[in-house]
Each structure stands twice: as C-alpha cells, then as structure tokens.
C-alpha cells in the first residue's frame, strides 16, 4: 500500500510528551508516516517550561519546502508558532500551495499556552486569523478560544464580548460554563471553517464534552466520563495530530474527530503517572498498539469491522444505501427503461464479480472444506442472480413502457441511446477493473473487503427499500418489484450475514495492524463510491 504521510509544524518538547515528539508518536501509533518542521526548541519537562528558542523563519521556510516537495503530506497539523515571523512564513507557504491546488487538510492547534499554564507563543489572535483560509479544523483549548474569539468570562461565567483581545488566561484550573463554550464556538466559526471546542476546561459534571462546530452550528458532540488522572501533558497535541492522521487515511472530518477522541482518551487512561517529578504525567501514545486495531465482538456489536468500515465511509455510505434511485424503486416511480439499463450493467458486473470469487478460492493458502464452502456458496448465489437478471430483462422487454415517458420526443431520445447502454459502460468497466485489480494484487482479506461493500450494501439497502415500499403500497410483479423482493428477502439477508460472519472471523483470527486496517477501510470506501456511480446509471 502507499504510505500516507502526515506533517507536523510545531515546537520541540525536550521532555518528549508534547510538541513534535508527541505528534510523531501519535502518527506512528495511528499508522501514518510522520514528518516534521521544527518551529521552536523548548526546554521543558514534567515540571514546566523553562526556555523557548524560536527557530528563524527562513529555516522554517526551508524545512517546509524540503518536506512538502518530496514527501507530499496527505494532512498537516500546525502547532506552536512562536513568533509573528514564523507564523507569516507558514501563512505565505500555505498561500503558494493553495494557489497551486496542492494544499491538503490542515489542523491548527493554536498553541498559546501549555496544559500546565506556561505561555508558549507571542503570536496574537489576529495573526492566527491569517491562517483561517487554509485551515480545515481549529482545535483550541478554552484559554486559547478566549483569545481567538475576543470573549472573556464575566464573574457569573456568562459570555461577554470585549473590544480588544483579552489577556491570555494561563490558569490551568480555569473553568467556564456551557453557554460561553457555545458562544465561542459559534463566534469562531465566523472566521474558521470548523472548530472543535475541547471540554477540558469547562464545567460539565462528571463528563468531558467536546463539541464540533461547522458553519456556525454545532455539528456533533461527544461525552466521555472524566478520568481522575494527572496524565494530561500533550493532550492537545495528540488530539490534533490524531485528527490529521485520520484525515490523511481518508476519513471524513466528524469520524476523524471521533476516532481521535477515542485514541486520546485511551492514551490518558494508560498514561505514565510516575514519569518525572512534576505535577503532570504524560500520555501513553502507543497504548493502542497493546490493543487490537479492530475490537473483539461484543453482544452490543457483533460485527466490529463492519461498524468501523461504515463509520469510515460516513456520508458516502449513506449516499449508497439511501440512493435516490433506491428511494424511487421503493416508491414505485422509477423509470423502467432506465432500471433495465442498470440491470444490463449489473449483469455485466456480476460476471466480473464471479471471476473475483474464483480468485478468492485461489488465494486460500491452506484451503479446508469449511473455508471453501463460503466462496462456493456465493458463486452459486451469483449464478442464480445472473439467471434472474436475464429472466427479468426478457420480461422487461415485453412490459408496456408507455408510462415511462412524458412525450414521444423523450422516448425517441432514450431509444437513440439504447445501443450504447447494451454494452458495458465506463462505470462498469472502472468498477470491475478495480475489483479485479484488488483480486490480482491484494491479499485474501483485501479481496473479501472489496466484495463486501456490494454484498452488505444491497442487504441494508433492500431492508430500507422494503420498509419504505410496504409502508405506502403493495409490491407488484413487474421486474422492479421482483428485484426489490429478491434483495429484501430473508434468503439474501442470510447470505449477507454468512459472509459477514466469515469476514469478521477472519479479521479476528489474524488482527490487522492499524496500517493494514487503514488499507482495508480505504478499499471498502472506494468500492462504496463505485456503487454510488453504478446506481447513477439508473438515474
């Protein structure tokens, strides 16, 4: 697989718990290759920060050029920018790359104050705002959010706007209320694309709540039980780096934040409390290497890989199983001629799908009767699907299509293009070639995942369509409703569950590393994209 690269632009932490060191540990733990641009060298340990040396802006610029021109990072995390000159160098570099269309997602952790309360940067909120056009997500702590939003808590902890930038609050025990957090999040969204308001400094009972604001509204929130621990040094660095790592791996923003929170929560829970003599312990960045990349099944989640894959695909998965064509099929108003176009292409694809299953048999290094049974069962089912498709196409040719056209001119236009869609379309060719490429070059597990989004997606889609259809009408006997009955039926769903059990068991028997898991999730996501394009042929 192609190695994903994440770049951190930040200061060095000589104690190893935060900054560049913490970022690189996070990248490694989450399966991406880490590169770095050092903006400052600090003298710090578990007791605090004793010195900050700014790296000259010219050196920062040369580091950026060297790394980006060669390694081409898939995501960038920006942390400590110690002075205006360094900040302006970074802004200028981003501007050039944005103009070239070569700027990846950027996460900005506006490091102004360390978790222990020590001031780390002389950069003002106005200077940080120059980065806003390039930043995908801003992740301030509460003191930093106060600076950047221009708000300050009054004695009653209610939001109050001020005319000038407030003095940076450096009290690590600072506590604000929910209303101020919400006001800061909304106000910051007036400048930044998205803002993650972290809950470490605001009062919320026995829980920690983080809120994601996008477009001025709260898009998502997460609550976790508070951990009674002092191992919090470098939490902001780890969180922003973890989001960058997930974005680099192809995850959507909301899913990336959720995964990053889980990672940091575990790093705090497994923290090294007895390291050093200071009041703060450090994170256990590699804690997830002690855990499985794919959790074990539980009564609440019998298919953990499936859950991860669907979460990783995010809105793309929703766009597949709730495709407009599927809704039209359920409502009984899909165009039959266009649906026949889809069936012709699906018939062509099933031939390639059958070849992929044959290769799945070949890829088994130590086949047993049990391991061969699943693919052979699927091959028999695919042959049955092919026969059904052919029968439906013959039936469809006899059905009256008059209601599919508003006028004769539209019918003539459809008939003119009929010869084109009787042959394999470019979408069908692209999808099947991707599948066969995975079959030829990938592992058995990668091939199973490549075929899984189709099988599992049709099962989920069939259940959704059946529920929608039967709530408003009675299914008929035309080719569309026959197709719907097949993929919403118990026989097909049993086949889906059987394939799911085999896939989940294979993953549990040989747990993938975080890097291998990222590849599997990307394959699932890519085939889901192809499924959407496939259904677009019937639109």
């Amino acid at each position: 697989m192609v190695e994903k690269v994440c770049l951190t632009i930040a200061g060095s932490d000589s104690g190893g718990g935060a900054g560049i060191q913490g970022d690189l540990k996070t990248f490694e733990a989450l399966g991406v290759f880490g590169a770095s641009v050092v903006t400052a060298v600090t003298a710090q340990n578990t007791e605090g920060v004793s010195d900050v040396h700014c790296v000259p802006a010219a050196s920062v610029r040369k580091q950026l050029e060297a790394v980006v021109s060669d390694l081409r990072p898939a995501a960038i995390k920006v942390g400590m920018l110690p002075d205006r000159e360094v900040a302006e160098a970074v802004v200028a570099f981003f501007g050039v790359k944005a103009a070239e269309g070569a700027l990846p997602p950027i996460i900005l952790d506006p490091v102004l104050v360390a978790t222990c309360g020590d001031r780390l940067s002389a950069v003002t909120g106005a200077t940080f705002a120059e980065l806003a056009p390039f930043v995908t997500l801003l992740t301030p702590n509460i003191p930093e959010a106060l600076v950047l939003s221009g708000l300050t808590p009054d004695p009653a902890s209610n939001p109050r706007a001020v005319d000038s930038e407030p003095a940076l609050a450096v009290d690590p025990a600072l506590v604000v209320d929910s209303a101020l957090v919400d006001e800061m999040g909304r106000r910051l969204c007036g400048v930044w694309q998205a803002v993650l308001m972290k809950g470490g400094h605001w009062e919320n009972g026995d829980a920690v709540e983080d809120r994601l604001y996008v477009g001025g509204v709260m898009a998502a929130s997460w609550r976790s039980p508070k951990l009674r621990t002092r191992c919090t040094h470098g939490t902001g660095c780890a969180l922003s780096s973890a989001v960058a790592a997930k974005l680099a791996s192809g995850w959507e923003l909301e899913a990336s934040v959720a995964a990053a929170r889980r990672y940091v929560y575990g790093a705090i829970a497994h923290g090294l409390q007895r390291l050093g003599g200071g009041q703060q312990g450090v994170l256990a960045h590699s804690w997830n290497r002690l855990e499985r990349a794919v959790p074990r099944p539980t009564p609440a989640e019998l298919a953990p890989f499936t859950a991860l894959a669907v979460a990783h695909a995010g809105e793309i998965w929703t766009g597949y199983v709730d495709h407009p064509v599927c809704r039209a099929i359920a409502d009984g108003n899909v165009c039959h001629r266009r649906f026949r176009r889809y069936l012709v292409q699906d018939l062509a694809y099933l031939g390639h799908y059958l070849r992929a299953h044959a290769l799945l048999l070949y890829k088994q290094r130590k086949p047993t009767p049990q391991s061969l049974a699943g693919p052979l069962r699927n091959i028999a089912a695919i042959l049955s699907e092919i026969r059904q498709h052919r029968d439906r196409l013959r039936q469809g040719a006899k059905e009256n299509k008059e209601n599919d056209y508003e006028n004769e001119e539209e019918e003539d236009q459809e008939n003119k293009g009929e010869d084109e869609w009787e042959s394999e379309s470019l979408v069908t060719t692209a999808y099947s070639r991707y599948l066969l490429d995975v079959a030829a070059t990938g592992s058995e597990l990668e091939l199973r995942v490549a075929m899984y989004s189709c099988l599992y997606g049709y099962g989920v889609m069939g259940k959704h369509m059946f529920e929608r259809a039967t709530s408003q009408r009675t299914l008929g006997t035309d080719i569309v409703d026959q197709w719907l009955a097949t993929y919403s039926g118990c026989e097909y769903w049993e086949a889906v569950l059987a394939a799911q059990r085999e896939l989940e068991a294979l993953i549990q028997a040989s747990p993938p590393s975080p890097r291998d898991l990222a590849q599997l999730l990307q394959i699932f996501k890519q085939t889901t994209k192809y499924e959407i394009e496939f259904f677009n042929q019937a639109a």
Side-chain angles (χ1 to χ4, degrees), residues 5-49:
V5 177
C6 266
L7 169 62
T8 171
I9 305 171
S12 168
D13 174 3
S14 57
I20 290 284
Q21 288 85 342
D23 294 341
L24 294 177
K25 291 174 183 177
T26 299
F27 292 157
E28 178 69 18
L30 295 179
V32 296
F33 182 84
S36 62
V37 169
V38 181
T39 60
V41 178
T42 69
Q44 62 176 301
N45 53 27
T46 62
E47 297 179 346
V49 180

Side-chain angles (χ1 to χ4, degrees), residues 232-289:
T232 56
H233 178 56
T235 50
C237 298
L239 181 65
S240 54
S241 298
V243 174
K246 290 301 181 181
L247 289 175
S249 299
W251 292 48
E252 301 292 333
L253 178 60
E254 186 174 323
S256 295
V257 173
R261 290 186 77 258
R262 289 193 296 269
Y263 166 74
V264 173
Y265 193 84
I268 296 172
H270 292 81
L272 310 177
Q273 299 196 36
R274 297 183 179 181
L275 190 66
Q279 292 299 310
Q280 281 193 301
V282 298
L283 306 183
H285 291 88
S286 60
W287 74 272
N288 62 327
R289 294 303 180 92

